[in-house]
Amino acid sequence: MKFAIQINSAPWAGEGCDTAYQFIRAALGLGHEIVRVFFYYEGAYHGMRRMSPPEDELPALRRWSELAAGQGIDLVVCISAAQRRGLLDQTEDGRAVKLEEEVAEGFRIAGLGLWVEACLKADRFLAFGG
Amino acid sequence: MKQFLFVMRRPPHEGIGVRESLDLLMTVAAFDQPVRLLFLDDGVFQLKSGQNPECLGAKPIVPLFSALEVYGIEELWVEEESLAQRGLRPESLILPTRGIKRGEVAGLVASADVVVAC
């Protein structure tokens, strides 16, 4: 089965993103496909390269990059959600610059169209966190 | 083609969540997918007429809902019990809506391919 996943909570808030991560691991383990993981609302705080939590909290952030590298999962942070939260450097005309430099390994920044596309491609859409 | 259902349960002016949910909804409509919107619980206050958030320095949310028709989103469902429990009537709302009874909500949800809680 093909799953589209949406993550709505920040990495430090609640267990929504933990549950999502465990679900994805379990689904892949059973041979299912993850079409895309889309980070929206407070989920946009995921994958920001410059986050620097204490060393012992880092694994929770790095595991997404490891998932992308190991399983080829498409991790997409919503550009409008990230811009609202001041997570992207912007030029004077308001456009975000150098997006690939803002996000951690394995993440990319894109628009809501990719969320719709993932929903249309998947058999099931699941949202986690808030 | 998939039928999307957005379920609004939160009151207005509670952060930017509703605006971001409406962005999702309008993107779905821009992809020419059929969209329904269901207001439950405190979500029915989203459409209440006479809101004046400007006095709190907040941006009005009502124009966003009024614009939904432009996007071809015309199916706005409101749970009748949620309205009644809050002392509201369909005439208290800024837009024409379709009433649905609590017992019928499960059927509406089941008829959708993608359900988005917001």
Side-chain angles (χ1 to χ4, degrees):
Chain A
M1 189 172 274
K2 294 178 185 175
F3 291 99
I5 307 290
Q6 182 180 339
I7 295 184
N8 297 334
S9 56
W12 52 80
E15 59 181 339
C17 38
D18 293 327
T19 312
Y21 178 79
Q22 302 298 346
F23 174 86
I24 291 167
R25 289 282 304 271
L28 292 171
L30 290 171
H32 298 295
E33 182 187 335
I34 305 297
V35 176
R36 180 166 295 139
V37 184
F38 195 82
F39 296 87
Y40 198 52
Y41 302 105
E42 312 309 319
Y45 287 105
H46 279 80
M48 292 298 132
R49 188 182 288 278
R50 286 190 290 269
M51 281 179 75
S52 47
E55 193 63 32
D56 58 350
E57 293 174 19
L58 271 178
L61 292 175
R62 284 194 185 132
R63 63 186 180 181
W64 289 103
S65 296
E66 289 162 8
L67 191 66
Q71 306 279 351
I73 304 293
D74 189 17
L75 305 178
V76 176
V77 176
C78 175
I79 186 166
S80 57
Q83 281 180 315
R84 269 184 203 271
R85 290 164 179 79
L87 300 179
L88 303 180
D89 272 349
Q90 301 196 351
T91 58
E92 281 178 7
D93 62 359
R95 290 180 55 192
V97 291
K98 295 179 185 166
L99 296 178
E100 69 282 359
E101 290 180 12
E102 305 286 334
V103 288
E105 205 68 40
F107 285 85
R108 61 182 177 132
I109 294 188
L112 286 172
L114 287 192
W115 173 79
V116 179
E117 186 198 66
C119 289
L120 295 179
K121 277 186 182 169
D123 302 304
R124 293 281 188 279
F125 160 68
L126 290 173
F128 294 87
Chain B
M1 192 74 86
K2 287 194 175 182
Q3 175 71 56
F4 283 72
L5 175 68
F6 284 75
V7 185
M8 299 227 157
R9 305 184 76 166
R10 297 187 182 142
H13 318 303
E14 194 188 67
I16 59 170
V18 169
R19 287 173 193 282
E20 295 197 295
S21 300
L22 289 174
D23 285 346
L24 284 178
L25 190 147
M26 290 175 190
T27 309
V28 171
F31 274 68
D32 292 327
Q33 304 297 311
V35 182
R36 291 179 178 137
L37 195 46
L38 170 63
F39 297 87
L40 285 184
D41 304 331
D42 281 346
V44 298
F45 285 122
Q46 296 284 356
L47 295 181
K48 167 116 180 29
S49 61
Q51 294 183 46
N52 187 18
E54 293 90 339
C55 68
L56 295 171
K59 208 171 152 187
I61 194 88
V62 159
L64 292 177
F65 285 105
S66 302
L68 293 180
E69 195 184 353
V70 178
Y71 286 80
I73 302 166
E74 289 161 357
E75 279 201 42
L76 307 182
W77 296 82
V78 175
E79 193 201 57
E80 291 170 0
E81 287 85 345
S82 294
L83 269 188
Q85 284 164 0
R86 287 160 183 78
L88 299 175
R89 302 157 57 85
E91 307 84 76
S92 322
L93 308 179
I94 53 151
L95 293 172
T97 56
R98 306 172 187 213
I100 184 169
K101 296 203 184 309
R102 187 159 290 173
E104 298 165 349
V105 167
L108 186 70
V109 172
S111 69
D113 299 304
V114 179
V115 181
V116 183
C118 46

